[in-house]
Amino acid sequence: MSVNVNTTTNTVTVQNAHQTLTIIDNNTANVVNVDQVSHGTSVTITQEGTGHTATVNLGAISSVDYSLFTILQSGAAKTAFVEVKSGISNTMNIQQDGAGNHTAAIQNLNGSNNNFSINQTGSGNHSMTISAGANTTNSNDTVSATQSGSGD
């Protein structure tokens, strides 16, 4: 696994994570990127404060299966992106809470039996999108989404 911390851009990038990865971000790094994980990995990203972005790129290099991804964001103006380029039987949880606009996106979906849960609460405008990749086959994926608060 490699971890790159860029203090100029307040960015943390993790590549090739194995087994368990936990990142707790209390206003120190505004951007957290996880580029690739191995099969059966548990990834938890916790961000508190203002203006954070979390990106998980699942299957960027090779297929990732049977993994758990959790993004917990609280405070104002949060963005979470999960790219699923190749994978089966993964679970992805995105929870965003607090004042300000929140954005959650599942992008380039390619796989089957994946479970997605998106929960957005608090005042502000919240958005969520799920999009498949070009020429992909997806089956038996499950999506659970909840938005509450003013502006939804």
Side-chain angles (χ1 to χ4, degrees):
M1 173 174 64
S2 68
V3 177
N4 178 10
V5 178
N6 185 327
T7 56
T8 303
T9 61
N10 290 329
T11 302
V12 175
T13 301
V14 179
Q15 294 179 316
N16 298 322
H18 301 282
Q19 301 309 311
T20 301
L21 171 65
T22 301
I23 298 170
I24 299 173
D25 178 8
N26 294 317
N27 247 353
T28 55
N30 290 335
V31 178
V32 174
N33 300 314
V34 178
D35 284 341
Q36 175 71 36
V37 298
S38 60
H39 298 296
T41 299
S42 175
V43 175
T44 301
I45 299 170
T46 302
Q47 294 177 307
E48 298 175 357
T50 301
H52 291 294
T53 299
T55 302
V56 175
N57 193 339
L58 174 62
I61 299 167
S62 62
S63 178
V64 175
D65 306 324
Y66 309 104
S67 293
L68 170 64
F69 301 89
T70 302
I71 299 173
L72 305 170
Q73 297 175 315
S74 63
K78 301 295 184 190
T79 303
F81 296 110
V82 177
E83 297 233 13
V84 186
K85 294 182 178 174
S86 181
I88 61 169
S89 298
N90 295 294
T91 300
M92 283 145 267
N93 300 306
I94 299 173
Q95 296 182 24
Q96 297 171 314
D97 179 48
N101 300 336
H102 301 311
T103 302
I106 309 296
Q107 305 172 139
N108 295 316
L109 180 59
N110 183 18
S112 61
N113 300 315
N114 293 300
N115 297 301
F116 304 97
S117 175
I118 301 171
N119 186 357
Q120 297 172 315
T121 60
S123 62
N125 295 318
H126 306 316
S127 66
M128 59 182 76
T129 58
I130 299 175
S131 60
N135 301 316
T136 60
T137 301
N138 297 286
S139 62
N140 298 320
D141 293 321
T142 303
V143 177
S144 172
T146 303
Q147 291 179 315
S148 63
S150 62
D152 293 324

